[in-house]
């Protein structure tokens, strides 16, 4: 599931690269598909792959009852089921975090322990959040109205790659589910051992990073120095009149201390 489409005007299309696997041309446009590997085939390949997929929240003909029957019998956690393309087609790691947060469901809750109401809430959230992202052409799961109501007009996502929950301000914990980082808010997604959910022993404050899939502006990332690149950290430190020597960890600590004590790095860092 790794690859990238790029669209260009035909007269300005760049040359293909070693990783360009497919070029589509027409109506004055050129599209390049860049990926490590691509499997080629005809309608039979498409049909076989489509048959392996579960229910797609973006499709009006999704069979919710079929999905409920599968989920309600499963011992897998809700977090694992949402990433299982044979169950929820199209849900990735960012959507998993956001869907479960707005649904108030802990990622470790087993599918067979979900009530029908909880499942319906998860499905409705999947349809709403993925539909919003499709409309915007970007993974934005927070509406402008919700962001303003939360007092955070620039908020784009509730919990993914965040140390604090965008809804309640509570601490966020992260851990691994099938080698992918999972997020949960301790307040909004309380865990109940009576349901068969077990608190992950390795849950810890998340390691924040500059996500390419869930991009943030430089202004947003200045508030969370861990998400800045080294060049951006040095630019922000220089603008604040602070030393710029050291490895990234030291730069982050220095800028974070400044942000905490001085109320901010003093404006936008110049581009590296």
């Amino acid at each position: 599931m790794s690859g990238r489409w790029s669209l260009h005007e035909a007269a300005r299309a760049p040359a293909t690269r070693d990783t360009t696997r497919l070029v589509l041309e027409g109506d004055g446009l050129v599209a390049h598909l860049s990926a490590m590997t691509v499997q080629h085939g005809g309608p039979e390949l498409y049909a076989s792959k489509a048959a392996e997929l579960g229910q797609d929240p973006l499709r009006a003909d999704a069979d919710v009852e079929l999905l409920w029957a599968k989920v309600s019998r499963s011992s897998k956690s809700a977090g694992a089921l949402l990433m299982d393309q044979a169950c929820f087609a199209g849900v990735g790691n960012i959507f998993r975090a956001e869907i479960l947060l707005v649904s108030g469901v802990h990622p470790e809750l087993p599918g067979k322990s979900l009530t029908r109401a909880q499942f319906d809430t998860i499905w409705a959230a999947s349809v709403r959040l993925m539909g919003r992202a499709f409309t915007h052409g970007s993974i934005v799961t927070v509406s402008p109205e919700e962001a303003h109501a939360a007092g955070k007009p620039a908020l784009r996502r509730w919990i993914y790659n965040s140390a604090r929950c965008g809804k309640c301000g509570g601490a966020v914990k992260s851990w691994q589910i099938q080698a992918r980082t999972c997020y949960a808010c301790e307040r909004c997604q309380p865990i109940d051992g009576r349901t068969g959910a077990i608190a992950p022993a390795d849950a810890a404050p998340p390691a924040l990073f500059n996500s390419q899939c869930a991009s943030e502006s430089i202004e947003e990332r200045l508030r969370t120095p861990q998400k800045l690149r080294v060049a951006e950290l040095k630019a922000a430190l220089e603008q604040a009149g602070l030393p710029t020597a050291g490895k990234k960890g030291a730069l982050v600590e220095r800028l974070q201390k400044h942000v905490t004590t001085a109320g901010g790095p003093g404006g936008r860092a110049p581009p590296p």
Side-chain angles (χ1 to χ4, degrees):
M1 294 180 65
S2 177
R4 180 176 181 273
W5 282 100
S6 59
L7 185 65
H8 315 275
E9 294 181 4
R12 301 179 179 179
T16 58
R17 300 181 179 182
D18 292 342
T19 56
T20 303
R21 302 298 184 231
L22 180 66
V23 177
L24 301 178
E25 301 181 17
D27 297 324
L29 298 173
V30 176
H32 290 178
L33 172 62
S34 296
M36 294 303 294
T37 58
V38 173
Q39 185 175 0
H40 297 274
E44 298 80 8
L45 175 62
Y46 170 81
S48 66
K49 293 298 182 182
E52 296 173 358
L53 295 175
Q55 306 309 309
D56 187 340
L58 293 179
R59 291 185 62 96
D61 61 353
D63 192 334
V64 182
E65 295 304 320
L66 182 62
L67 178 59
W68 166 242
K70 181 179 292 188
V71 168
S72 62
R73 295 194 303 265
S74 178
S75 297
K76 287 184 178 180
S77 67
L81 288 166
L82 274 166
M83 293 284 281
D84 185 346
Q85 298 301 302
C87 292
F88 292 82
V91 176
N93 202 33
I94 300 174
F95 282 119
R96 169 175 70 178
E98 300 291 303
I99 289 167
L100 291 177
L101 184 279
V102 301
S103 301
V105 173
H106 195 278
E108 293 292 349
L109 182 64
K112 63 183 180 181
S113 296
L114 283 169
T115 66
R116 180 58 196 254
Q118 286 175 314
F119 168 81
D120 288 340
T121 299
I122 290 173
W123 179 256
S126 302
V127 173
R128 184 173 73 257
L129 300 189
M130 292 179 67
R132 179 180 296 152
F134 178 79
T135 300
H136 283 274
S138 178
I139 304 179
V140 178
T141 59
V142 181
S143 71
E145 296 77 16
E146 290 170 327
H148 280 282
K152 305 170 184 176
L155 189 65
R156 293 165 60 85
R157 286 164 292 277
W158 292 114
I159 191 171
Y160 177 77
N161 195 26
S162 297
R164 313 297 298 187
C165 173
K167 278 187 170 293
C168 73
V172 172
K173 292 294 181 68
S174 72
W175 65 98
Q176 298 287 305
I177 293 183
Q178 296 178 341
R180 300 297 301 276
T181 302
C182 190
Y183 301 82
C185 170
E186 296 179 317
R187 294 179 187 168
C188 297
Q189 298 163 278
I191 195 165
D192 185 348
R194 294 172 299 177
T195 62
I198 301 175
D202 58 342
L208 307 183
F209 62 100
N210 181 24
S211 172
Q212 300 301 313
C213 297
S215 61
E216 297 173 281
S217 68
I218 182 68
E219 290 84 0
E220 293 173 306
R221 289 186 289 116
L222 277 168
R223 293 191 286 269
T224 312
Q226 297 96 319
K227 297 182 181 181
L228 293 172
R229 296 188 291 270
V230 170
E232 294 169 335
L233 283 163
K234 290 184 176 181
L237 287 166
E238 183 177 6
Q239 188 172 8
L242 296 171
T244 60
K247 295 184 177 181
K248 184 173 182 178
L251 300 178
V252 168
E253 183 178 357
R254 195 174 303 147
L255 184 58
Q256 185 64 65
K257 182 178 179 180
H258 175 67
V259 170
T260 303
T261 58
R268 175 172 180 161

